[in-house]
Amino acid sequence: MARIAFILLCHKDPEAIISQAERLTAAGDYMSIHFDARANPDHFRQIKEALQDNPNVTFARKRIKCGWGEWSLVQATLNAIDAALVAFPSATHFYMLSGDCMAIKSAQYSHDFLDDNDRDFIESFDFFDSDWIKTGMKEGRLIYRHFFNERTQPKRYYGALNLQKKLGLEREIPQDLQIQIGSQWWCLRRRTIEWIMDFTRARKDVMRFFRTTWIPDETFFQTLVRHIVPEEEIESRTLTFLMFSDYGMPVTFYNDHYDLLLSQDFLFARKISPEARELKARLGALYAAEGVEFKISNEGRSLYKFLTGRGRIGRRFGMRFWETESSLGRERELLIVVCKKWHVAKRLLEQIRKATDIPAIEYLFNEESTPLPDLGGIQKTIGKRHRHRRALMRMLFDYYSTDRLIICLDPGALDLLQDFCGDRSTTKLLEVEVEFSDDFLVGHATRIGLAGEQTPPETLERLLPTIRHDMAFETDRIRDANFANHHRIRESGRTEENASEVAQFLAISEDKAQEIVGIDYLFAD
């Protein structure tokens, strides 16, 4: 059976560290602790005294002062690993943790998972070809030597860096290494750890190189694992659930995140708020529990993105540069059907095609698979369609040799509605007001990744009001925009009322409009 040696780097909150060590070792696992030599010495004494009689806890023999972005973090990790290898010969896996991490599965589940998955879990993406680094310096992390800390000694850091650039003091990367990058929260098998430690003793040139790279905790283990372990034995992901905000800050979890955390396909989570005492207590009890079944839905990241993105949707303050010189044409008429239930809008368009000769295209800005003619590549992806929206629409008018064209849009596409309604062409909207059952909302949440088949009912109960409110919010934004030529049909409306609106929207007779809206399955789910 798997037995885990946790490698814990920490620098504060001794009570939490003691609790974490006691909790994890009580299930038969081990822990090797490196407490930052820069931190409060009284805190370290407190930790050592509390854990000195625990045979499953050891400490790094040499403590060093750690700094963000420095080699010191990697050296501290190696020191803790070295102590764990000696103290815990029965450990099968080594798992990197911080003091802010907590288990979100039971020890039984974690051990079974590792027994069933004989591989190393570590994020490792090609340093140069991947987009893992979003902003800031990239190649310069490696080819220049970094002797100072950017945060604590910015003048010296940038002075040394600029001097190297001026003098052309670039260095070569060790030729036999393909530099990788990824999260520092890994879980590696004992054999892999032993290979890494042997490598560090044999390859002094590689050690000298990494000691002066910037943020080596994101590259050192990631590169070495790829170098010494067969690719098929590596899964390029972390087993620690963590998220980052749009500003690059770690997302913190609180008491009401318990169910969400348990449903993620991870063994630990970071970061748990120090104030989340109830969450910590529940997760602490969970690790020692037996026979717990976990329903994995894995919707955490998409749900976070959905909830945090509400306040920024549609906030544009000017036209894109590619739109300033373009227009669909003053003589043209664009007819837009706006509906959240795409299948309802598609049925409506099918009826319109039967009753009129107006070309009608479904959700071309929402669905990649929408059938479109070959327009030279501009139509190939959703991204291109959005970037060149007016050019695309002009080409479609020309392709169909028409001055009238119908398209469908999701109510969430307010920026598209504003663009098209602000054009010199005539734009008409037909908003299709539909009703949303709980079953439909659950299906919608599954389709867009907010929930999965295994999402607990309690999570769905909290999620459904948010989704329903979000759909109402989209409708309110459209109403608040006060678009001209705005027509509306309702699922709850009488056929005569809906036909009148459709007749005005399409400029057809009410008899033809009756044929279009008169089908009894128009609004059916």
Side-chain angles (χ1 to χ4, degrees):
M1 184 185 76
R3 298 188 73 179
I4 307 169
F6 294 102
I7 308 300
L8 179 66
L9 265 57
C10 48
H11 64 280
K12 61 179 181 179
D13 203 352
E15 291 84 2
I17 293 167
I18 294 167
S19 297
Q20 188 180 40
E22 291 175 340
R23 181 169 54 247
L24 296 178
T25 59
D29 291 317
Y30 310 106
M31 179 171 288
S32 179
I33 300 174
H34 179 279
F35 194 78
D36 193 343
R38 200 188 303 273
N40 188 330
D42 291 335
H43 288 172
F44 182 60
R45 280 193 291 271
Q46 181 181 349
I47 295 169
K48 286 209 72 171
E49 289 173 3
L51 299 174
Q52 62 184 352
D53 295 328
N54 189 329
N56 286 11
V57 175
T58 191
F59 294 86
R61 292 187 181 89
K62 183 178 180 181
R63 294 168 56 220
I64 59 177
K65 296 179 180 179
C66 297
W68 184 90
E70 296 178 7
W71 168 257
S72 55
L73 289 174
V74 178
Q75 188 61 61
T77 305
L78 293 172
N79 291 353
I81 288 173
D82 196 45
L85 283 170
V86 174
F88 311 127
S90 300
T92 61
H93 294 76
F94 290 69
Y95 197 122
M96 182 75 176
L97 283 182
S98 77
D100 296 323
C101 297
M102 285 200 71
I104 56 174
K105 298 291 186 293
S106 64
Q108 183 182 57
Y109 180 97
S110 299
H111 295 157
D112 290 344
F113 178 89
L114 294 176
D115 284 336
D116 294 339
N117 295 274
D118 184 22
R119 65 194 70 148
D120 295 307
F121 291 88
I122 182 169
E123 273 192 354
S124 50
F125 305 102
D126 188 276
F127 184 91
F128 296 100
D129 293 341
S130 71
D131 63 347
W132 204 85
I133 298 175
K134 302 297 184 184
T135 59
M137 181 169 51
K138 189 171 184 177
E139 186 181 26
R141 290 191 185 190
L142 306 176
I143 64 173
Y144 298 114
R145 296 167 179 84
H146 301 272
F147 303 104
F148 305 102
N149 190 297
E150 180 190 23
R151 294 188 173 184
T152 59
Q153 298 175 296
K155 290 185 178 179
R156 290 180 176 178
Y157 176 88
Y158 286 106
L161 178 61
N162 292 331
L163 181 61
Q164 292 178 77
K165 290 180 179 180
K166 184 177 180 179
L167 298 177
L169 298 179
E170 298 179 2
R171 61 175 174 175
E172 290 188 359
I173 296 168
Q175 293 186 356
D176 61 331
L177 292 185
Q178 184 176 359
I179 304 299
Q180 304 287 308
I181 191 166
S183 167
Q184 64 268 49
W185 312 112
W186 40 254
C187 178
L188 304 177
R189 296 167 296 177
R190 184 183 190 92
R191 183 186 65 179
T192 302
I193 286 291
E194 290 174 341
W195 285 348
I196 289 174
M197 299 306 287
D198 290 342
F199 186 94
T200 63
R201 289 185 283 268
R203 292 294 302 271
K204 301 301 181 183
D205 60 321
V206 173
M207 299 300 284
R208 283 194 298 271
F209 170 77
F210 275 108
R211 280 193 182 99
T212 51
T213 59
W214 184 235
I215 320 182
D217 55 315
E218 294 179 352
T219 55
F220 179 77
F221 289 98
Q222 295 77 1
T223 300
L224 266 57
V225 171
R226 282 284 175 186
H227 185 72
I228 62 180
V229 177
E231 183 176 0
E232 61 271 16
E233 296 183 22
I234 302 171
E235 187 160 335
S236 184
R237 76 176 183 103
T238 175
L239 295 180
T240 299
F241 180 57
L242 66 162
M243 297 189 296
F244 290 90
S245 70
D246 291 348
Y247 308 102
M249 299 300 292
V251 174
T252 301
F253 299 109
Y254 296 93
N255 290 334
D256 57 350
H257 288 129
Y258 179 80
D259 290 326
L260 180 142
L261 291 175
L262 264 59
S263 66
Q264 305 312 304
D265 189 18
F266 298 86
L267 304 185
F268 280 75
R270 181 179 187 273
K271 340 172 79 165
I272 307 299
S273 170
E275 287 78 35
R277 294 182 178 86
E278 179 185 343
L279 177 61
K280 287 186 172 185
R282 296 179 73 183
L283 291 177
L286 176 69
Y287 195 69
E290 295 184 0
V292 181
E293 292 187 10
F294 296 90
K295 296 180 179 179
I296 307 299
S297 55
N298 222 30
E299 77 285 358
R301 290 195 173 100
S302 56
L303 181 58
Y304 174 78
K305 183 178 180 182
F306 169 75
L307 294 175
T308 57
R310 296 303 87 194
R312 294 187 290 277
I313 289 178
R315 292 193 178 182
R316 284 184 49 205
F317 302 99
M319 297 172 69
R320 269 70 165 178
F321 70 90
W322 59 81
E323 299 163 348
T324 55
E325 300 295 331
S326 62
S327 171
L328 304 187
R330 193 182 300 275
E331 73 286 355
R332 285 172 167 163
E333 186 175 71
L334 178 62
L335 306 171
I336 303 177
V337 175
V338 182
C339 183
K340 195 66 182 180
K341 289 186 177 179
W342 295 1
H343 60 279
V344 174
K346 291 176 181 180
R347 287 191 198 125
L348 185 62
L349 255 63
E350 182 182 352
Q351 293 302 109
I352 291 174
R353 291 189 190 102
K354 292 178 181 178
T356 74
D357 59 357
I358 308 173
I361 304 170
E362 295 169 359
Y363 287 86
L364 74 165
F365 292 104
N366 301 106
E367 283 189 303
E368 197 95 56
S369 59
T370 299
L372 290 172
D374 186 354
L375 302 174
I378 193 174
Q379 82 291 345
K380 283 191 174 180
T381 67
I382 291 287
K384 282 188 175 182
R385 296 175 202 172
H386 275 264
R387 286 195 299 273
H388 308 292
R389 58 190 69 170
R390 293 193 180 185
L392 173 65
M393 296 309 302
R394 289 199 309 274
M395 295 172 77
L396 287 171
F397 274 109
D398 292 340
Y399 177 84
Y400 289 108
S401 300
T402 183
D403 287 333
R404 303 185 77 204
L405 186 66
I406 304 174
I407 65 170
C408 292
L409 285 181
D410 187 271
L414 183 65
D415 60 334
L416 291 170
L417 292 173
Q418 290 171 326
D419 281 351
F420 291 138
C421 289
D423 192 80
R424 289 195 293 263
S425 63
T426 299
T427 303
K428 291 184 178 181
L429 306 183
L430 179 64
E431 184 183 353
V432 183
E433 187 179 290
V434 294
E435 298 174 1
F436 303 109
S437 66
D438 285 351
D439 287 342
F440 175 83
L441 294 179
V442 170
H444 175 74
T446 303
R447 285 189 294 274
I448 63 176
L450 298 181
E453 293 182 1
Q454 302 298 322
T455 299
E458 301 79 20
T459 302
L460 288 173
E461 287 178 11
R462 291 198 301 271
L463 184 58
L464 292 187
T466 302
I467 299 175
R468 192 181 296 278
H469 178 270
D470 188 68
M471 292 181 175
F473 174 66
E474 291 177 346
T475 299
D476 288 342
R477 289 164 63 226
I478 293 173
R479 308 274 171 85
D480 292 342
N482 293 316
F483 294 122
N485 302 315
H486 184 178
H487 304 277
R488 188 179 304 117
I489 65 173
R490 299 177 174 85
E491 182 173 354
S492 60
R494 293 187 298 113
T495 301
E496 295 77 10
E497 295 172 342
N498 290 340
S500 177
E501 292 291 315
V502 170
Q504 296 176 60
F505 174 68
L506 297 174
I508 59 175
S509 67
E510 295 215 4
D511 289 341
K512 276 196 173 183
Q514 285 270 7
E515 295 176 18
I516 293 171
V517 301
I519 58 173
D520 55 7
Y521 58 87
L522 177 61
F523 294 99
D525 287 336

